[in-house]
Amino acid sequence: MKFTLSWLKEHLDTTADVGAVVEAMTMAGLEVEHVEDPGKTLAAFTVAKIVEAVQHPNADKLRVCQVDTKDGRLEIVCGAPNARAGLTTIYAPIGAYVPGSGVTLEARPVRGVVSNGMLCSARELEISEESDGIVELSDDLPVGASAVEAFGLEAAIDFEVTPNRPDWLGVRGIARDLAAAGLGTLKPDATAAVKGSFPCPIEIRVDGDACPVFAGRLIRGVKNGPSPAWLQQKLVSVGLRPINALVDVTNLVSQDRCRPAHVYDAAKLQGPVIEARLGREGESILALDGKTYAVGPEICVIADASGPVCLGGVIGGEESGCSDETTDVFLECAWFDPIRTAQTGRTLGINSDAQYRFARGVDPESPVPGLELATQLILQLCGGEPSEVRVAGHAPAPPKAIAFDRGYVKKLSGLNVSPARIDDILTKLGFAVDGDAVTPPSWRRDVEGKADLVEEVARIEGFDALPAEPLPEIARPAGGVLTIRQRRMRDARRAMAARGYAEAITWSFMRQEWAEMFGGGDPKLVLTNPIASDLSTMRPTALGNLIDAAARNARKGFADAALFEVGPNFRGDQPADQWTAVTALLAPHSPKHWAKVGGDPLFALKADLLALLEELGAPQLQVVQGQNAAWWHPGRSARLQLGPKVVIAEFGELHPRILKALDAEGPMLAFELSLDAIPEPKKKGVKTKAALELSPLMPLTRDFAFLVSADTPAGDLVRPILGADKALIADARVFDVYAGHGVPEGQKSVAIEVVVQPRERTLTDGEIEGLSSRIVAAAEKAVGAKLRG
């Protein structure tokens, strides 16, 4: 929305300049975006007089002019057909930037004659589209006067209108708010009813669903043509193109009062009735923009006997438009439903000034006052004889009164504003104040409660007057502000990033067929209105999304991926069915080489998982094989459990069947850790680690090979060995598993390296043999292991 200071002063009695208006608007909540100041753009351009204009010696279409300028008499070459002696025009000196042509003037010869400046057209100054010649000004203007003064140009303020304030789409609405803010006094509305001299011969009918209220009148005997200079200049200053006097009047009323109106050439209307109704299948209209639009039963149209002649609240029809030959005009001011008007604009792809205003909610009580103002201007500019006003339909019910306690301003905003000042602000904004009842004006339907009234008082009083008081201090919880789950999520992200994984953030949804492959697909988790067809179901695990992400990276040349995600998974539609997991994925695709580099990535993945569990404070867990879900490789996957029922994590290689279904190239390995399943630490005060004890003695190792049942996990053998002598045994690790020739059927050989760390003195051979015996006994007791001979 744009307006000029002089236009504002038609409604606001003030001495403020543009800067003060912009400051007051900002403080009153109007977001000023830009101030277009032609005084800066055209500062170098001044009035000049051509003293002599002779034919250029080397060009038929050029003239060499002697010009009196602010810089003295200069010789300027000009190609305009109207360049002649005695003409008063606009001069641009050397070095000036010409906005319409985008060039900076330089002293250079034109066909052998140096031009010491430029004589400008209106288009080159960007004040109109006229470019047939240089501008012709009144001879009364003195040489050296500014171009801004010569054309009567002034700064235009451009600001953003919020959707809840359609009254700001009229200059009077802006003036009302600035008057309430103390920038001046709002002038009284001088619009008076124009008495009709004959009954309106055109009957008006409305369909309430299409158009609640419609006002109109006939004006006969008008003389249309170009509007006067003051009106054209006014429209141009806010970015509108003058068309003719009748149309320019409606545009002026729309900008001035946020009251769109429309004029029809009465001679082009068919039949004695004009009707606002819903469109019908098969109807269409040729609009003023030259395009034909099909209308339907959701679109409001203004129609005569021949069909639609206007899209209600959006754009007029070309066949009923006014021209210079128009003598009788039907003037319309109606109120159209904002939602229907907005939908019509979106459906047809039209965003006109009228549609922009009606979609935000024009004052429903303005049709008749707007009709009277437009009538006054038409009679003033075009003459004619008006009929009586016809009105069909009824405006929507006015806003209801709001019970308002003045003390609520202090309670809600903290502002100390007297009741008298509160009433003064609301009254100046157009509210009716009657004791404790405040009724919003018809143009402020966004005000629905007492909190809205407080906002109006605070806005006008000044948000900078709001007291700045710190909130009372609240003691921090002893355990910190994060919950255990939040702390674990934070620690998990840090630990995974430290081990070289990249965090991925994927959708909480996936394809339904994917969800079914990963044990989901519950109908309760299927979305009613998904954002995309391939995101139709809440995910039971993030594995599918990470596999898809790794596959997409591989297709783009980045096959070696290490991804993780911390987020929710869903088993059902209840809050208890949601669980938080750390999901990690490895896609080991190292470059091809004749020598294999590195070990089995499955053990690297397991190491990452164990390191993460240690970081999260998980207790010692049991490794269980053969019980993983169907999407894991049966021979290369396992679980980490806390007892027989509580599954903390699953890890291993993903089944090739799953990767093929997701169009991903294997192998891929992953783990999924449930943060919710890790038991919370016991609240027993603060525990500290024991002091580090470093022995000066060298450790020694002993290797043992045990025969155990083929289905015995290696971890079940390591744990009792570590417990055989906690003081001396520092570590035990599996370095070989063998089954085959030399090993009884149904058994396997597990080779374990035991690290023994003497503490006080070097161990004797007898002490080492005793420790070995205890290790063998512990293994035999725990899992029935026999030392392999």
Side-chain angles (χ1 to χ4, degrees):
M1 172 66 186
K2 290 183 182 180
F3 66 94
T4 61
L5 182 59
S6 63
W7 198 337
L8 177 70
K9 289 183 177 181
E10 293 179 8
H11 298 280
L12 185 68
D13 188 1
T14 182
T15 58
D17 60 9
V18 170
V21 169
V22 169
E23 175 67 19
M25 289 175 66
T26 302
M27 298 309 297
L30 289 85
E31 183 181 347
V32 178
E33 291 189 330
H34 181 60
V35 177
E36 296 179 2
D37 190 355
K40 296 179 180 178
T41 306
L42 303 179
F45 298 81
T46 55
V47 174
K49 288 184 182 291
I50 301 176
V51 177
E52 180 183 81
V54 298
Q55 186 68 43
H56 192 292
N58 301 319
D60 294 338
K61 294 184 178 181
L62 298 178
R63 290 179 177 273
V64 179
C65 303
Q66 303 299 318
V67 185
D68 283 346
T69 72
K70 68 170 185 175
D71 300 321
R73 182 164 294 183
L74 301 175
E75 187 170 74
I76 298 175
V77 178
C78 181
N82 62 334
R84 62 184 184 274
L87 179 65
T88 302
T89 187
I90 293 296
Y91 152 73
I94 297 298
Y97 174 77
V98 182
S101 59
V103 299
T104 299
L105 299 181
E106 298 176 0
R108 61 174 59 181
V110 180
R111 293 289 185 93
V113 179
V114 175
S115 183
N116 298 292
M118 179 178 180
L119 303 179
C120 303
S121 69
R123 172 175 286 183
E124 288 164 335
L125 298 174
E126 290 190 335
I127 59 175
S128 80
E129 296 297 319
E130 181 62 44
S131 62
D132 291 339
I134 57 178
V135 295
E136 300 188 15
L137 302 174
S138 170
D139 293 336
D140 297 336
L141 290 170
V143 171
S146 69
V148 173
E149 178 185 346
F151 292 110
L153 302 177
E154 57 181 322
I157 300 171
D158 189 1
F159 71 100
E160 182 67 27
V161 178
T162 55
N164 66 317
R165 293 302 304 271
D167 57 307
W168 283 346
L169 289 168
V171 178
R172 186 165 182 82
I174 304 164
R176 183 186 299 109
D177 273 33
L178 293 178
L183 196 68
T185 304
L186 184 68
K187 296 180 179 180
D189 187 357
T191 303
V194 178
K195 185 177 181 181
S197 56
F198 60 94
C200 181
I202 298 177
E203 181 183 351
I204 300 172
R205 298 175 185 169
V206 294
D207 176 350
D209 291 336
C211 175
V213 60
F214 188 120
R217 77 184 334 158
L218 181 72
I219 305 175
R220 62 191 182 193
V222 300
K223 183 175 178 56
N224 197 17
S227 54
W230 67 266
L231 178 51
Q232 293 192 36
Q233 182 179 331
K234 211 169 195 179
L235 297 178
V236 169
S237 68
V238 296
L240 296 180
R241 180 175 61 89
I243 298 174
N244 57 53
L246 291 172
V247 175
D248 291 352
V249 163
T250 61
N251 287 335
L252 177 68
V253 173
S254 180
Q255 292 285 323
D256 190 69
R257 303 297 176 93
C258 186
R259 178 55 264 175
H262 189 65
V263 285
Y264 304 83
D265 188 329
K268 298 176 182 178
L269 295 177
Q270 303 295 315
V273 176
I274 193 165
E275 180 181 14
R277 59 169 173 81
L278 296 176
R280 297 165 184 164
E281 293 295 341
E283 289 185 328
S284 63
I285 179 173
L286 175 62
L288 288 171
D289 60 2
K291 299 179 181 179
T292 299
Y293 298 96
V295 300
E298 298 300 321
I299 294 176
C300 174
V301 299
I302 310 300
D304 62 4
S306 65
V309 294
C310 178
L311 294 173
V314 178
I315 193 170
E318 188 171 285
E319 295 179 356
S320 61
C322 294
S323 64
D324 290 349
E325 289 73 33
T326 299
T327 56
D328 295 343
V329 62
F330 180 74
L331 176 61
E332 163 233 308
C333 274
W335 188 84
F336 300 97
D337 178 74
I339 296 177
R340 188 182 299 278
T341 307
Q343 185 60 49
T344 298
R346 285 192 293 267
T347 301
L348 302 180
I350 303 174
N351 187 20
S352 64
D353 280 351
Q355 188 266 350
Y356 184 79
R357 285 168 167 78
F358 279 119
R360 280 155 180 76
V362 170
D363 181 3
E365 295 183 7
S366 66
V368 172
L371 190 75
E372 300 290 6
L373 176 59
T375 300
Q376 287 183 5
L377 291 170
I378 290 174
L379 296 179
Q380 174 187 338
L381 302 180
C382 304
E385 181 184 12
S387 74
E388 296 173 351
V389 174
R390 275 186 183 266
V391 180
H394 302 280
K400 296 181 180 179
I402 301 169
F404 186 52
D405 178 7
R406 309 310 189 271
Y408 195 60
V409 173
K410 169 68 175 176
K411 181 178 180 181
L412 193 61
S413 69
L415 288 170
N416 284 310
V417 187
S418 67
R421 171 61 177 156
I422 293 172
D423 291 352
D424 180 61
I425 290 173
L426 294 176
T427 301
K428 287 182 176 179
L429 289 174
F431 292 81
V433 179
D434 184 10
D436 289 339
V438 177
T439 305
S442 57
W443 59 83
R444 290 301 307 275
R445 292 179 174 266
D446 59 305
V447 177
E448 298 176 342
K450 58 183 181 179
D452 297 327
L453 297 175
V454 173
E455 181 183 358
E456 292 300 300
V457 173
R459 180 174 65 85
I460 299 301
E461 188 67 11
F463 290 126
D464 56 338
L466 292 172
E469 296 181 8
L471 293 172
E473 292 237 357
I474 300 176
R476 289 188 64 177
V481 297
L482 298 180
T483 65
I484 291 178
R485 176 190 289 182
Q486 291 170 333
R487 192 162 58 248
R488 284 176 172 170
M489 292 173 69
R490 178 199 61 189
D491 294 344
R493 287 189 173 97
R494 291 177 176 175
M496 294 301 293
R499 298 190 72 84
Y501 287 76
E503 183 173 9
I505 300 176
T506 68
W507 294 103
S508 294
F509 326 110
M510 61 169 52
R511 299 175 188 268
Q512 187 171 3
E513 55 268 27
W514 289 9
E516 291 171 355
M517 283 192 291
F518 288 99
D522 188 335
K524 296 178 181 177
L525 296 180
V526 177
L527 304 179
T528 303
N529 186 24
I531 59 176
S533 60
D534 57 349
L535 297 171
S536 60
T537 304
M538 304 300 291
R539 69 184 188 193
T541 172
L543 278 172
N545 292 344
L546 289 182
I547 293 170
D548 183 51
R552 280 188 278 110
N553 278 278
R555 287 192 288 270
K556 294 181 180 179
F558 302 95
D560 195 17
L563 307 174
F564 82 95
E565 180 172 7
V566 182
N569 294 328
F570 305 88
R571 297 189 184 97
D573 60 344
Q574 300 300 316
D577 296 327
Q578 180 176 329
W579 58 293
T580 304
V582 180
T583 309
L585 179 82
L586 273 179
H589 292 80
S590 56
K592 293 181 179 179
H593 196 271
W594 64 272
K596 290 188 176 181
V597 181
D600 191 336
L602 180 56
F603 292 106
L605 178 84
K606 180 182 178 183
D608 294 335
L609 173 58
L610 294 177
L612 174 60
L613 286 166
E614 183 179 0
E615 183 69 26
L616 298 176
Q620 192 170 3
L621 302 173
Q622 179 184 10
V623 180
V624 178
Q625 289 182 272
Q627 298 183 21
N628 283 39
W631 51 90
W632 299 102
H633 193 297
R636 288 175 58 80
S637 60
R639 284 180 169 183
L640 291 177
Q641 295 185 181
L642 185 62
K645 295 183 178 180
V646 181
V647 179
I648 302 295
E650 289 188 328
F651 69 96
E653 188 173 323
L654 291 163
H655 202 291
R657 171 180 54 83
I658 296 294
L659 299 181
K660 183 178 180 181
L662 271 63
D663 193 23
E665 183 180 351
M668 288 189 183
L669 305 99
F671 69 74
E672 191 155 45
L673 165 65
S674 173
L675 290 178
D676 303 325
I678 301 175
E680 296 184 10
K682 296 180 180 179
K683 300 178 180 179
K684 289 185 177 180
V686 179
K687 282 188 176 182
T688 59
K689 289 184 178 180
L692 178 63
E693 294 183 8
L694 295 177
S695 174
L697 303 174
M698 289 292 293
L700 58 101
T701 62
R702 287 291 184 270
D703 294 342
F704 298 86
F706 293 100
L707 290 174
V708 296
S709 174
D711 58 357
T712 300
D716 291 354
L717 183 59
V718 171
R719 277 191 295 272
I721 292 175
L722 288 171
D725 192 323
K726 294 182 179 179
L728 291 176
I729 297 176
D731 194 11
R733 50 180 173 262
V734 177
F735 67 87
D736 185 46
V737 177
Y738 171 73
H741 181 71
V743 175
E745 187 176 352
Q747 292 189 323
K748 63 183 177 181
S749 173
V750 180
I752 298 179
E753 180 187 51
V754 179
V755 180
V756 181
Q757 176 63 65
R759 299 294 177 183
E760 298 176 354
R761 58 183 174 78
T762 302
L763 299 178
T764 65
D765 290 344
E767 289 172 332
I768 295 174
E769 289 299 326
L771 176 60
S772 298
S773 298
R774 292 196 298 274
I775 290 173
V776 173
E780 183 175 3
K781 181 180 178 181
V783 295
K786 299 292 184 181
L787 194 64
R788 183 180 176 189

